Every structure is written in structure tokens, then in C-alpha cells.
Amino acid sequence: MMRTMSLLALPFLFMFFSASLAAPLTYNVQSLGARPDGRTDSTKSFMNAWTAACASAKPTMIYVPRGRYLLRSAFFDGQLCKNSAITIRIDGTLVAPSDYNVNGNAGYWIKFQRVNGLSIYGGTLDGQGTGLWACKASGRSCPTGATTLAIDNSNNIIINGLSSLNSQIIHIGIVGCQNVKLQGVKISASGRSPNTDGIHVQSSSGVTILNSHFATGDDCVSIGPGSTNLWVENVSCGISIGSLGWDLQEAGVQNVTVKSSTFTGSQNGVRIKTWARSSNGFVRDVLFQHAVMINVQNPIIIDQNYCPNNNDCPTQVSGVKISDVTYQDIHGTSATPIAVNLDCSKKYPCSGIRLEDVSLTYKDQPAEASCINAGGSASGLVDTTRCL
């Protein structure tokens, strides 16, 4: 009988030992000296955890327990990593220095570079940017500001359930990356905070942004030069391609899909913006689909004479060529009489612009469309008699 029971137990023992072998190595930042009091500099403990994780050839987890952890500028370089399966699980909050001069000119607060195979789950990043915003509002000489989380020249990245508060400038920057998925991200900053884009993507391919909520002082998602094969779905405020065309030699933007999103009370809905300068850039193969606009000032806009605050504006014409952009199934209300405003380049008019089932109203009447140097087709509840 005992022999029979031992034989029956063998599969369960095998499963137990297999699970033990599969469990990732875990480095708890508190065990490495990090203090969860929000005052003690814990940067070294986080860097030591990263060094240990990189040195392992096995899947590894860096664990951040509950509490507030003060970090100065932290640079996590993956160039020499043996590991392509590092997970950072955050149950606490990482806090930037309250003195904006500490990292205000560093360009970033937390940066991952040349990393292959990184997953970040949960947690909050508190950029403590209010002091810098106040400095800029006063007109004093201030640092440029730091991006809260910069992911540069990296591949196969997952960011899930992360919150970012009060970044000095951009909350999350994705530059020079391949295959990045952001899901369930929450971005929050005052509507008066300058240049606090939610997620900025540039020179990257295969970036997916899903089911994320934004409340910022600038674009929720901004798409810069050299961005291709992007998918954005179920986000909550303005999306901009651009600004583009500042440089003469500039990579284009193509194959972008934005769908199933709701925009409430924002300045812009879906926007393409370029400077009035010579450039060989382009925007093509873009689909804005299934969007709901609720009292949005500029629901649909192409602005090829972009110049914020109308200061020192270029006097040329935009060289960025915009083509094959589709606006499909876009409904709701505009806060202004003109819901569709297409102001395209005189030298390179927009082509292949399609408004399909676009129904936007202003004060319970069909909103208007204004088009300059734009060609294409239109259908839906928008007055396009002067357009397309």
C-alpha cells in the first residue's frame, strides 16, 4: 500500500520541483537596502538589483514592495545583460526628488536603454513636476525638465498597469524601439502643466497602446518622426501625429491605427501637425476609426502651419507629404462650429483624405468642415460643402 502511494505521489513531486525550477530568481529592493520612507535615496539599491538581474541567464524578477522609494536619475543599461527575461514588479511608488534641479537637465528620470525582454507591472511613478511647472509659469530661467520613464533602443518591452503622476515633461518616451506593448497605463498631470505628453513614440516600430487613461497638459499620445506600425486602442484623449517637419532630412510616419477611443472636453481629438518648413518627411496609411467626441474643440484637424503660441513662426511651406488618411465612424459633438479643419501644405497638398461616416454636431446642428489644399472624399453628418 505504501509503495502504491509513493508511486501516486511521484507526479505531484515532479510538478512541485518543476514549478520550483521555473520560478524566477527574485531580488527584493528592500533586501538590498532600499528604504520605503520616501526620503532616503534608494537609487543604489535599485541599480544593484538591476546589475544582479542582468548577470543572470535565467528569468529574473526585481520586486518593489509597498512604500515610497526616493530615486535620483537612474540609468538601467542592458547592453551587457545576459538576461532577456527581466520582470520588474512594483507594488509601491517611486518618487523623484522634489528639487527639480536634481534631474531637470538630465533629460530623463528613469531610463532603460539597449534592453531586450523587459516587463514592468504595476506601481506608480511620481515625477513631482509641480515645482518645475511653477518655475516655467513665472518666466524664470528653468531646466528643460526630465522625461519620467524613457525606453530607448530596446526590444520586446511590456508595460502593464503602470501609473505616472506629475511628470516634469513627457511621462513615457519610447524612442528607437521594436515591439513595445503598453496596457492599462494611467497618466495624470494638471491641465496647465507644460509639455507633459502622456506617451511619446518616435523612431519605433510595432508599438501597441491599449486600454489606457490620460489626463495631461499636452497630447495624450504623440507620434514623432520614424514611427511605423503603431496600434492605439481605447484611450481617453487627444492623439497627435507630430509635430513633424522641423528637420529637412526626417523619417516619415506610416501604418498607424487609432481606434475605439473617446475624447471628452479636450482641445484636440485626432490631429496631424507639421511645421511650415522644408522637409522630406511624410505621413501615410493612417486610420482613425470608431471614435467618440464629446465637446471637443478640434475633433479632426490637420495643421501644416503648426506654430504653438504663434512665436517665431516659420514662413515657408511644409514639405511633409500627407496621404491616405482615413477618418471612419467618428461621432459626437464639437465645442466649435468647425469640427473638421484640414489646413494642408500649399506645395504638397494632402491627398487621399477620406471622411467615412463622420457625424459631428455643434449646438445640435451639423458641424462644418474647412479644407485648404486637401483632396479626397466625405460622407456623414458634417457640412462639407466647402471641403473635399
Side-chain angles (χ1 to χ4, degrees), residues 301-373:
I301 181 169
I302 296 177
D303 182 3
Q304 293 210 258
N305 292 287
Y306 174 69
C307 184
N309 304 317
N310 293 315
N311 291 327
D312 299 322
C313 297
T315 58
Q316 305 171 50
V317 295
S318 178
V320 177
K321 302 176 184 66
I322 298 176
S323 62
D324 299 319
V325 179
T326 299
Y327 303 90
Q328 187 179 80
D329 183 26
I330 298 180
H331 294 76
T333 58
S334 173
T336 59
I338 298 176
V340 178
N341 191 349
L342 309 182
D343 183 9
C344 296
S345 170
K346 181 178 180 180
K347 185 175 182 180
Y348 300 105
C350 299
S351 63
I353 307 299
R354 288 177 288 276
L355 304 176
E356 300 176 356
D357 190 19
V358 174
S359 298
L360 296 165
T361 62
Y362 171 70
K363 294 185 176 180
D364 298 323
Q365 297 296 322
E368 297 178 15
S370 172
C371 303
I372 301 173
N373 305 315

XYZ file of all heavy atoms in Angstrom, residues 301-373:
552
model
N -8.308 67.414 -37.062
C -7.515 68.552 -37.515
C -6.215 68.095 -38.170
O -5.519 67.202 -37.658
C -7.217 69.518 -36.341
C -6.398 70.723 -36.813
C -6.574 68.811 -35.169
C -6.293 71.835 -35.785
N -5.921 68.673 -39.328
C -4.589 68.617 -39.934
C -4.086 70.045 -39.990
O -4.718 70.911 -40.598
C -4.611 67.995 -41.341
C -5.055 66.526 -41.279
C -3.226 68.099 -41.991
C -5.165 65.851 -42.646
N -2.963 70.291 -39.345
C -2.406 71.645 -39.265
C -0.978 71.619 -39.797
O -0.056 71.218 -39.094
C -2.438 72.132 -37.816
C -1.903 73.557 -37.671
O -1.574 74.169 -38.708
O -1.821 74.038 -36.525
N -0.815 72.050 -41.051
C 0.529 72.073 -41.630
C 1.179 73.447 -41.519
O 2.209 73.703 -42.151
C 0.487 71.573 -43.078
C 0.114 70.081 -43.149
C 0.733 69.383 -44.334
O 0.045 69.154 -45.327
N 2.008 69.053 -44.259
N 0.600 74.277 -40.681
C 1.219 75.555 -40.317
C 1.346 75.634 -38.799
O 1.116 76.680 -38.191
C 0.380 76.718 -40.838
C 0.405 76.806 -42.353
O 1.407 77.192 -42.951
N -0.703 76.438 -42.986
N 1.714 74.516 -38.201
C 1.779 74.420 -36.737
C 2.816 75.380 -36.177
O 3.958 75.445 -36.652
C 2.140 72.990 -36.346
C 2.383 72.788 -34.863
C 1.330 72.869 -33.957
C 3.656 72.504 -34.390
C 1.545 72.682 -32.602
C 3.882 72.314 -33.038
C 2.821 72.413 -32.154
O 3.048 72.224 -30.806
N 2.409 76.140 -35.185
C 3.321 77.062 -34.507
C 2.711 77.412 -33.154
O 1.875 78.317 -33.049
C 3.555 78.326 -35.331
S 4.756 79.450 -34.580
N 3.074 76.668 -32.098
C 2.462 76.898 -30.791
C 2.735 78.307 -30.278
O 3.842 78.829 -30.405
C 3.120 75.840 -29.904
C 4.389 75.481 -30.610
C 4.114 75.631 -32.069
N 1.708 78.920 -29.751
C 1.785 80.274 -29.179
C 2.097 81.358 -30.217
O 2.300 82.521 -29.860
C 2.838 80.339 -28.060
C 2.572 79.322 -26.971
O 1.428 79.145 -26.553
N 3.622 78.636 -26.519
N 2.193 80.953 -31.500
C 2.459 81.925 -32.580
C 3.702 82.769 -32.344
O 3.734 83.964 -32.659
C 1.236 82.832 -32.766
C 0.032 82.074 -33.298
O 0.158 81.281 -34.226
N -1.122 82.296 -32.689
N 4.744 82.133 -31.815
C 6.015 82.828 -31.567
C 7.072 82.356 -32.554
O 7.311 81.156 -32.702
C 6.500 82.563 -30.142
C 5.625 83.234 -29.109
O 5.077 84.306 -29.359
N 5.473 82.607 -27.947
N 7.738 83.298 -33.236
C 8.819 82.973 -34.172
C 8.402 81.896 -35.167
O 9.116 80.913 -35.375
C 10.074 82.536 -33.408
C 10.598 83.636 -32.506
O 10.544 84.807 -32.915
O 11.054 83.315 -31.387
N 7.268 82.062 -35.772
C 6.741 81.033 -36.671
C 7.525 80.981 -37.982
O 7.924 82.019 -38.521
C 5.279 81.320 -36.982
S 4.209 81.250 -35.528
N 7.744 79.781 -38.531
C 8.393 79.668 -39.835
C 7.547 80.324 -40.914
O 6.307 80.382 -40.807
C 8.484 78.151 -40.062
C 8.307 77.530 -38.721
C 7.439 78.462 -37.943
N 8.171 80.791 -41.938
C 7.455 81.495 -43.019
C 7.504 80.722 -44.335
O 7.156 81.266 -45.381
C 8.054 82.895 -43.216
O 9.454 82.777 -43.509
C 7.870 83.741 -41.970
N 7.942 79.465 -44.290
C 7.991 78.657 -45.502
C 6.667 77.900 -45.642
O 5.669 78.247 -45.006
C 9.182 77.695 -45.417
C 10.513 78.391 -45.147
C 11.620 77.409 -44.842
O 11.835 76.443 -45.560
N 12.339 77.644 -43.745
N 6.673 76.863 -46.473
C 5.532 75.952 -46.545
C 6.012 74.572 -46.130
O 7.181 74.220 -46.319
C 4.921 75.903 -47.961
C 4.320 77.248 -48.328
C 5.956 75.483 -48.996
N 5.122 73.785 -45.594
C 5.510 72.471 -45.102
C 5.860 71.536 -46.255
O 5.130 71.433 -47.242
C 4.381 71.852 -44.279
O 4.747 70.554 -43.839
N 6.979 70.845 -46.089
C 7.383 69.855 -47.084
C 6.880 68.454 -46.770
O 7.109 67.520 -47.544
N 6.200 68.278 -45.649
C 5.704 66.957 -45.257
C 4.513 66.573 -46.131
O 3.520 67.313 -46.219
C 5.299 66.936 -43.772
C 4.709 65.584 -43.383
C 6.507 67.260 -42.891
N 4.596 65.429 -46.777
C 3.540 64.957 -47.670
C 2.589 64.059 -46.885
O 3.001 63.036 -46.329
C 4.147 64.191 -48.849
C 5.141 65.011 -49.677
C 5.764 64.154 -50.771
C 6.826 64.921 -51.545
N 8.007 65.260 -50.709
N 1.312 64.433 -46.866
C 0.292 63.682 -46.127
C -0.651 63.018 -47.126
O -1.222 63.694 -47.988
C -0.494 64.605 -45.183
C 0.448 65.213 -44.135
C -1.628 63.848 -44.504
C -0.224 66.223 -43.221
N -0.802 61.693 -47.015
C -1.650 60.973 -47.976
C -2.281 59.748 -47.323
O -1.758 59.190 -46.355
C -0.819 60.537 -49.195
O 0.211 59.652 -48.808
N -3.422 59.362 -47.881
C -4.114 58.134 -47.472
C -4.381 58.098 -45.968
O -3.919 57.215 -45.246
C -3.315 56.901 -47.911
C -3.142 56.842 -49.420
O -4.115 57.151 -50.127
O -2.028 56.544 -49.888
N -5.133 59.099 -45.533
C -5.570 59.180 -44.136
C -7.085 59.006 -44.124
O -7.816 59.729 -44.808
C -5.190 60.524 -43.493
C -5.672 60.584 -42.037
C -3.686 60.744 -43.574
N -7.575 58.033 -43.347
C -8.998 57.727 -43.292
C -9.542 58.015 -41.896
O -8.970 57.578 -40.889
C -9.256 56.250 -43.648
O -8.803 56.005 -44.980
C -10.727 55.913 -43.547
N -10.665 58.750 -41.868
C -11.410 59.004 -40.634
C -12.734 58.247 -40.776
O -13.569 58.615 -41.606
C -11.668 60.494 -40.453
C -10.407 61.332 -40.434
C -9.889 61.854 -41.624
C -9.741 61.614 -39.252
C -8.734 62.633 -41.622
C -8.581 62.393 -39.234
C -8.089 62.894 -40.428
O -6.948 63.664 -40.423
N -12.927 57.212 -39.992
C -14.045 56.304 -40.203
C -14.858 56.128 -38.921
O -14.300 55.821 -37.861
C -13.505 54.944 -40.679
C -14.547 53.939 -41.090
C -13.891 52.655 -41.569
O -13.483 51.819 -40.773
N -13.765 52.511 -42.887
N -16.172 56.328 -39.034
C -17.084 56.143 -37.899
C -16.659 57.010 -36.710
O -16.306 56.503 -35.647
C -17.154 54.665 -37.498
C -18.141 54.416 -36.368
O -19.091 55.200 -36.223
O -17.928 53.456 -35.599
N -16.693 58.313 -36.941
C -16.368 59.272 -35.885
C -17.625 60.087 -35.598
O -18.157 60.762 -36.483
C -15.183 60.165 -36.295
C -13.932 59.291 -36.506
C -14.927 61.233 -35.238
C -12.694 60.041 -36.917
N -18.099 60.014 -34.356
C -19.367 60.608 -33.977
C -19.189 61.498 -32.747
O -18.221 61.371 -32.009
C -20.405 59.519 -33.654
C -20.790 58.693 -34.833
N -19.977 57.714 -35.345
C -21.915 58.692 -35.596
C -20.585 57.140 -36.388
N -21.763 57.724 -36.548
N -20.174 62.388 -32.528
C -20.187 63.147 -31.287
C -20.395 64.625 -31.508
O -20.980 65.063 -32.506
N -19.890 65.411 -30.549
C -20.136 66.849 -30.550
C -18.841 67.636 -30.557
O -17.846 67.249 -29.934
C -20.954 67.243 -29.310
O -20.261 66.846 -28.116
C -22.326 66.593 -29.328
N -18.903 68.761 -31.253
C -17.773 69.692 -31.317
C -18.082 70.899 -30.437
O -19.233 71.348 -30.354
C -17.555 70.141 -32.765
O -16.571 71.166 -32.827
N -17.049 71.430 -29.789
C -17.208 72.636 -28.979
C -17.106 73.898 -29.827
O -17.311 75.000 -29.316
C -16.166 72.658 -27.861
N -16.806 73.748 -31.115
C -16.673 74.888 -32.033
C -17.453 74.584 -33.312
O -17.708 73.411 -33.633
C -15.191 75.139 -32.378
O -14.648 73.955 -32.987
C -14.386 75.465 -31.121
N -17.809 75.627 -34.077
C -18.600 75.367 -35.297
C -17.859 74.489 -36.312
O -18.490 73.719 -37.032
C -18.835 76.776 -35.858
C -18.683 77.688 -34.690
C -17.652 77.064 -33.810
N -16.521 74.619 -36.397
C -15.752 73.847 -37.378
C -15.174 72.614 -36.693
O -14.239 72.701 -35.879
C -14.641 74.699 -38.001
C -15.265 75.881 -38.762
C -13.786 73.860 -38.947
C -14.253 76.850 -39.340
N -15.727 71.459 -37.006
C -15.293 70.207 -36.376
C -14.192 69.514 -37.169
O -13.428 68.721 -36.625
C -16.475 69.260 -36.218
N -14.136 69.792 -38.460
C -13.112 69.194 -39.324
C -12.319 70.340 -39.948
O -12.864 71.139 -40.708
C -13.737 68.318 -40.424
C -12.651 67.752 -41.332
C -14.575 67.200 -39.813
N -11.052 70.421 -39.630
C -10.218 71.522 -40.111
C -8.956 70.943 -40.738
O -8.059 70.469 -40.030
C -9.857 72.443 -38.944
C -9.234 73.744 -39.414
O -8.881 73.883 -40.591
N -9.081 74.694 -38.514
N -8.914 70.958 -42.054
C -7.782 70.390 -42.795
C -7.020 71.536 -43.456
O -7.445 72.063 -44.481
C -8.271 69.387 -43.845
C -9.235 68.301 -43.357
C -9.595 67.364 -44.502
C -8.645 67.517 -42.190
N -5.928 71.945 -42.877
C -5.099 73.048 -43.376
C -3.792 72.448 -43.873
O -2.835 72.279 -43.114
C -4.857 74.062 -42.254
C -4.053 75.268 -42.721
O -3.834 75.394 -43.944
O -3.633 76.074 -41.865
N -3.753 72.108 -45.154
C -2.635 71.345 -45.710
C -1.639 72.234 -46.445
O -1.881 73.414 -46.698
C -3.177 70.270 -46.659
S -4.198 69.026 -45.833
N -0.529 71.645 -46.800
C 0.579 72.355 -47.433
C 0.201 72.834 -48.838
O -0.378 72.087 -49.632
C 1.798 71.442 -47.512
O 2.811 72.010 -48.318
N 0.547 74.068 -49.124
C 0.292 74.620 -50.457
C 1.159 73.926 -51.501
O 0.727 73.680 -52.629
C 0.568 76.120 -50.443
C 0.317 76.816 -51.769
C 0.578 78.314 -51.668
C 0.317 79.019 -52.997
N 0.569 80.489 -52.896
N 2.377 73.582 -51.111
C 3.307 72.969 -52.066
C 3.000 71.492 -52.268
O 3.106 70.963 -53.388
C 4.741 73.143 -51.562
C 5.807 72.650 -52.530
C 7.206 72.954 -52.014
C 8.270 72.493 -53.008
N 9.644 72.797 -52.503
N 2.612 70.806 -51.180
C 2.301 69.376 -51.252
C 0.924 69.149 -50.628
O 0.817 68.763 -49.451
C 3.355 68.548 -50.518
C 4.751 68.697 -51.066
C 5.709 69.453 -50.391
C 5.117 68.091 -52.264
C 6.998 69.595 -50.889
C 6.396 68.225 -52.776
C 7.330 68.979 -52.080
O 8.609 69.119 -52.581
N -0.147 69.382 -51.372
C -1.496 69.229 -50.816
C -1.733 67.814 -50.271
O -1.171 66.829 -50.787
C -2.397 69.519 -52.018
C -1.560 70.363 -52.932
C -0.160 69.844 -52.770
N -2.581 67.709 -49.263
C -2.975 66.399 -48.747
C -3.778 65.663 -49.822
O -4.587 66.267 -50.533
C -3.839 66.550 -47.500
S -3.052 67.392 -46.113
N -3.574 64.361 -49.919
C -4.298 63.563 -50.915
C -4.812 62.283 -50.264
O -4.260 61.795 -49.279
C -3.378 63.222 -52.097
O -2.294 62.422 -51.678
N -5.885 61.769 -50.837
C -6.449 60.522 -50.325
C -7.023 60.650 -48.926
O -7.021 59.696 -48.154
N -7.573 61.836 -48.610
C -8.226 62.030 -47.311
C -9.660 61.522 -47.423
O -10.425 61.970 -48.287
C -8.228 63.516 -46.896
C -6.798 64.099 -46.953
C -8.843 63.681 -45.520
C -5.813 63.430 -46.023
N -10.041 60.602 -46.554
C -11.374 60.016 -46.619
C -12.099 60.225 -45.289
O -11.615 59.786 -44.237
C -11.278 58.523 -46.949
C -10.869 58.239 -48.391
C -10.705 56.755 -48.660
N -9.503 56.229 -48.027
C -8.272 56.285 -48.573
N -8.106 56.871 -49.762
N -7.250 55.779 -47.941
N -13.247 60.892 -45.379
C -14.147 61.022 -44.235
C -15.306 60.061 -44.468
O -16.152 60.301 -45.342
C -14.655 62.451 -44.100
C -13.609 63.568 -43.989
C -14.278 64.927 -43.950
C -12.741 63.376 -42.750
N -15.347 58.976 -43.717
C -16.361 57.940 -43.918
C -17.228 57.829 -42.663
O -16.732 57.473 -41.591
C -15.686 56.594 -44.221
C -14.822 56.620 -45.476
C -14.087 55.311 -45.714
O -14.183 54.408 -44.861
O -13.407 55.202 -46.757
N -18.506 58.136 -42.821
C -19.440 58.100 -41.696
C -18.925 58.975 -40.549
O -18.832 58.540 -39.400
C -19.662 56.657 -41.227
C -20.809 56.551 -40.220
O -21.636 57.491 -40.166
O -20.836 55.561 -39.471
N -18.586 60.196 -40.858
C -18.176 61.176 -39.855
C -19.384 62.053 -39.547
O -19.853 62.802 -40.416
C -16.984 62.020 -40.344
C -16.667 63.123 -39.335
C -15.764 61.136 -40.566
N -19.906 61.953 -38.350
C -21.116 62.669 -37.957
C -20.846 63.448 -36.675
O -20.857 62.890 -35.576
C -22.277 61.691 -37.754
O -22.580 61.021 -38.958
N -20.592 64.735 -36.830
C -20.258 65.600 -35.701
C -21.197 66.802 -35.708
O -21.464 67.385 -36.761
C -18.803 66.067 -35.801
C -17.750 64.952 -35.712
C -16.397 65.457 -36.175
C -17.657 64.421 -34.286
N -21.678 67.157 -34.545
C -22.617 68.258 -34.452
C -22.075 69.367 -33.554
O -21.222 69.135 -32.689
C -23.972 67.785 -33.880
O -23.775 67.286 -32.540
C -24.575 66.703 -34.746
N -22.607 70.569 -33.813
C -22.316 71.730 -32.965
C -23.646 72.395 -32.644
O -24.381 72.798 -33.556
C -21.382 72.699 -33.693
C -21.203 74.024 -32.987
C -20.484 74.099 -31.788
C -21.751 75.184 -33.511
C -20.330 75.310 -31.135
C -21.586 76.406 -32.861
C -20.881 76.461 -31.670
O -20.724 77.665 -31.019
N -23.987 72.443 -31.356
C -25.268 73.002 -30.918
C -26.444 72.370 -31.673
O -27.320 73.049 -32.217
C -25.274 74.521 -31.073
C -24.283 75.222 -30.147
C -24.395 76.735 -30.250
C -23.460 77.394 -29.240
N -23.541 78.888 -29.302
N -26.412 71.043 -31.716
C -27.489 70.226 -32.293
C -27.680 70.413 -33.792
O -28.709 70.002 -34.357
C -28.818 70.498 -31.575
C -28.772 70.142 -30.105
O -28.116 69.134 -29.782
O -29.349 70.878 -29.290
N -26.687 71.018 -34.451
C -26.707 71.148 -35.905
C -25.441 70.518 -36.485
O -24.430 70.416 -35.789
C -26.776 72.632 -36.305
C -28.037 73.342 -35.854
C -29.288 72.780 -36.511
O -29.277 72.429 -37.698
N -30.376 72.672 -35.743
N -25.508 70.078 -37.752
C -24.282 69.528 -38.341
C -23.128 70.528 -38.265
O -23.292 71.702 -38.615
C -24.681 69.250 -39.793
C -26.162 69.053 -39.735
C -26.654 69.998 -38.679
N -21.993 70.069 -37.759
C -20.816 70.929 -37.699
C -20.262 71.142 -39.105
O -20.609 70.415 -40.042
C -19.763 70.306 -36.794
N -19.387 72.126 -39.222
C -18.817 72.459 -40.525
C -17.427 71.854 -40.684
O -16.770 71.472 -39.715
C -18.732 73.981 -40.678
C -20.068 74.691 -40.660
C -19.909 76.194 -40.776
O -18.811 76.648 -41.149
O -20.879 76.905 -40.491
N -17.011 71.813 -41.950
C -15.656 71.401 -42.282
C -14.982 72.514 -43.057
O -15.606 73.184 -43.878
C -15.654 70.116 -43.099
N -13.704 72.714 -42.791
C -12.913 73.697 -43.530
C -11.689 73.000 -44.094
O -10.957 72.331 -43.348
C -12.492 74.837 -42.585
O -11.569 75.695 -43.236
N -11.497 73.141 -45.400
C -10.381 72.439 -46.041
C -9.580 73.374 -46.928
O -10.147 74.105 -47.744
C -10.890 71.273 -46.886
S -11.867 70.071 -45.972
N -8.277 73.349 -46.754
C -7.365 74.107 -47.598
C -6.330 73.136 -48.161
O -5.655 72.434 -47.401
C -6.658 75.224 -46.795
C -7.693 76.194 -46.194
C -5.658 75.964 -47.662
C -7.087 77.211 -45.255
N -6.239 73.072 -49.477
C -5.244 72.212 -50.143
C -5.396 70.754 -49.741
O -4.415 70.056 -49.489
C -3.819 72.694 -49.821
C -3.600 74.148 -50.170
O -3.997 74.595 -51.246
N -2.968 74.892 -49.266
